[in-house]
Amino acid sequence: MKMKESMDCAEQLLLKTYNRYQVVFDHGDGIKLFDTDGNEYLDFFAGIAVQGLGYNYKGVNEALKAQADKLWHISNYFYNEPVIDAGQKLLKISQMEKVFFTNSGTEAIEGAIKIAKKYGTKTGKRFEIIAMEGSFHGRSLGALSVTGNEHYREDFYPLIPGIKFAKYNDIESVKNLVSDKTCAIILETVQGEGGIHPAAKEFLTGIKKLTDEHDLILILDEIQCGMGRTGQYFAWQEYGIKPDVMTVAKALGNGVPIGAFLTSGKASGVLKPGDHGSTYGGNPLVCAVASKVLDIFTKDDITGNVKTVGDYLKKSLEELAKSYPFIKEVRGKGLLLGMEFDRPVADIIKSALIDEKLVLINAGSNVLRFIPPLIISKYNVDDALERLKRVLDKF
Ligand SMILES: *Cc1c(COP(=O)(O)O)cnc(C)c1O
């Protein structure tokens, strides 16, 4: 029982900010994971939508190894080629104008908030930001300030002032909050942690109109829903609008710590030398990997696979839902799908993991979340659903 010993040891030394599942993972291959006792798992979680290309995807490990023998880090006081490569490719697929690389999604949000604040300051003492109920943008104090989940916030007040929360997919509730002090609106194009809620077309276009009319910065958080997850490179690309600032992370590095905020139009010239920085951000090691990931996205038509297999997974889940009265709804886009139950799903997740070796996660207490690597096949979907059926039959 190697796993049991490791887990006991971990509980002795790691701060208990997570209730971990009872598995110690050792390595991955394709869309399979292996624990230290040698058991094999089917991964429908992808390290929270991070391993878009799964494990050992051709070329990615090689890119990391090649850069490891050249240069890991040099700081932003100098130029390096991987950051240029990664930047060019990211701007190309996003049609944005400028990029700042960070080490995480949270830091990308911090950068986006700083642009909003500075733009507001420069255009007339405006500092209020409208965020959404049910949103998730990260755990640092800035990102937490725009996160609409009281459970995460309650012990950390006062947070940054001037943040107001509107109802997601309710344009009137956003309009009601706009004042002459508002400088920005921030939202996820598809709410992830909040339970997999895609923005309605009229809602997002309505927000775009509002931000244009009132000269606000529109920040779209694509950290979870971007990088191919919904079948577009970025989820907003099917809405016929464009944000002023977009944040990305998660699948961008396929597991190396990297994020970015990207700007267009009026947001591009806001930050000046000295306004923002990062020691590691944009370092050659992580950028060499991100650059390779971005190559693969275009070369191997990852978004094409997401569209086909995502539709298939959604239809299969809808079909399966018919057999179980405790399933209320299936929703989402591409390979960012949620299945809502009339009860908490924690026990379903545990049973899937331990009894069926299927790795799943929740999104809020009652929603089962399906965020597999973007490279899965229809065969993998059938396999996962067979396992899930056996779990649900027990409930
Ligand atoms: C994960 C996530 C974040 C935070 O990213 P980290 O890399 O954990 O800092 C922010 N916004 C959204 C939508 C996310 O899913």
Side-chain angles (χ1 to χ4, degrees):
M1 276 313 290
K2 213 163 143 237
M3 287 213 294
K4 178 83 177 67
E5 276 163 42
S6 305
M7 290 186 291
D8 290 345
C9 183
E11 291 301 334
Q12 296 291 319
L13 56 95
L14 301 176
L15 260 189
K16 193 150 182 70
T17 60
Y18 283 89
N19 289 313
R20 292 179 161 82
Y21 293 101
Q22 298 299 295
V23 178
V24 183
F25 280 120
D26 181 66
H27 64 282
D29 193 33
I31 57 152
K32 295 290 169 68
L33 279 164
F34 298 84
D35 68 24
T36 52
D37 284 349
N39 298 303
E40 181 183 310
Y41 298 75
L42 178 59
D43 184 11
F44 262 56
F45 174 49
I48 326 184
V50 167
Q51 269 88 23
L53 302 177
Y55 310 88
N56 303 333
Y57 195 95
K58 195 169 174 305
V60 181
N61 297 17
E62 290 75 8
L64 180 73
K65 288 175 194 164
Q67 189 60 40
D69 286 335
K70 285 175 78 180
L71 185 68
W72 298 20
H73 176 76
I74 191 62
S75 107
N76 287 304
Y77 284 102
F78 304 96
Y79 301 93
N80 72 74
E81 283 184 344
V83 77
I84 299 166
D85 292 342
Q88 273 177 340
K89 291 167 193 171
L90 195 53
L91 293 180
K92 181 148 189 252
I93 61 170
S94 65
Q95 304 283 291
M96 300 292 281
E97 288 160 18
K98 300 273 186 186
V99 55
F100 183 103
F101 285 102
T102 65
N103 311 294
S104 68
T106 300
E107 286 167 83
I109 294 290
E110 295 294 325
I113 293 174
K114 280 180 76 174
I115 290 181
K117 291 271 222 181
K118 184 167 178 192
Y119 189 75
T121 303
K122 292 288 174 199
T123 52
K125 299 209 172 98
R126 303 187 294 162
F127 64 93
E128 290 181 1
I129 299 175
I130 300 173
M132 300 297 145
E133 289 174 9
S135 64
F136 182 81
H137 299 292
R139 305 298 201 126
S140 65
L141 291 172
L144 192 57
S145 298
V146 291
T147 289
N149 181 335
E150 200 44 37
H151 180 61
Y152 295 157
R153 301 161 58 88
E154 57 192 0
D155 293 334
F156 302 100
Y157 285 106
L159 293 165
I160 62 174
I163 313 294
K164 296 178 172 178
F165 289 96
K167 283 199 166 48
Y168 197 75
N169 276 338
D170 179 346
I171 191 69
E172 287 307 316
S173 86
V174 183
K175 280 185 187 160
N176 289 340
L177 295 179
V178 177
S179 78
D180 58 1
K181 294 274 168 280
T182 312
C183 65
I185 301 178
I186 181 169
L187 70 155
E188 295 153 272
T189 317
V190 180
Q191 283 194 337
E193 303 298 313
I196 317 297
H197 298 281
K201 174 122 190 177
E202 320 76 66
F203 181 62
L204 201 51
T205 50
I207 290 214
K208 176 70 185 168
K209 198 157 159 272
L210 263 186
T211 57
D212 286 346
E213 280 167 9
H214 296 269
D215 189 24
L216 314 175
I217 298 281
L218 171 57
I219 304 168
L220 289 181
D221 182 348
E222 292 259 341
I223 291 168
Q224 186 159 164
C225 63
M227 286 301 295
R229 200 36 66 194
T230 65
Q232 313 287 326
Y233 285 120
F234 300 99
W236 55 263
Q237 288 172 327
E238 64 176 296
Y239 288 81
I241 58 117
K242 190 173 180 178
D244 302 301
V245 181
M246 164 173 82
T247 57
V248 294
K250 295 208 161 93
L252 175 60
N254 209 57
V256 297
I258 185 170
F261 57 98
L262 293 87
T263 62
S264 73
K266 66 190 182 195
S268 290
V270 177
L271 295 180
K272 301 278 192 268
D275 280 344
H276 199 56
S278 170
T279 298
Y280 294 129
N283 91 27
L285 190 69
V286 296
C287 284
V289 176
S291 177
K292 190 66 186 181
V293 167
L294 290 161
D295 277 345
I296 292 167
F297 262 79
T298 39
K299 188 169 64 62
D300 294 355
D301 190 23
I302 299 299
T303 52
N305 189 61
V306 173
K307 283 194 192 103
T308 317
V309 183
D311 284 350
Y312 183 70
L313 174 58
K314 193 171 186 189
K315 285 203 186 83
S316 307
L317 290 173
E318 282 164 352
E319 196 53 43
L320 178 128
K322 289 181 190 157
S323 316
Y324 302 94
F326 49 75
I327 299 174
K328 288 171 68 181
E329 193 188 15
V330 173
R331 56 178 181 256
K333 286 187 178 181
L335 288 170
L336 180 54
L337 298 172
M339 185 179 242
E340 185 168 340
F341 288 69
D342 68 0
R343 63 195 68 182
V345 293
D347 290 337
I348 294 172
I349 292 170
K350 275 180 213 157
S351 173
L353 182 70
I354 303 300
D355 306 334
E356 293 294 336
K357 304 285 180 275
L358 171 64
V359 189
L360 285 169
I361 196 73
N362 59 309
S365 67
N366 290 12
V367 177
L368 203 54
R369 176 166 34 162
F370 298 82
I371 42 173
L374 307 175
I375 55 169
I376 61 160
S377 63
K378 289 183 179 176
Y379 167 79
N380 302 136
V381 168
D382 293 342
D383 183 2
L385 265 72
E386 284 301 314
R387 298 180 198 218
L388 183 60
K389 260 185 224 155
R390 287 196 292 268
V391 173
L392 294 177
D393 284 340
K394 293 183 206 163
F395 287 85

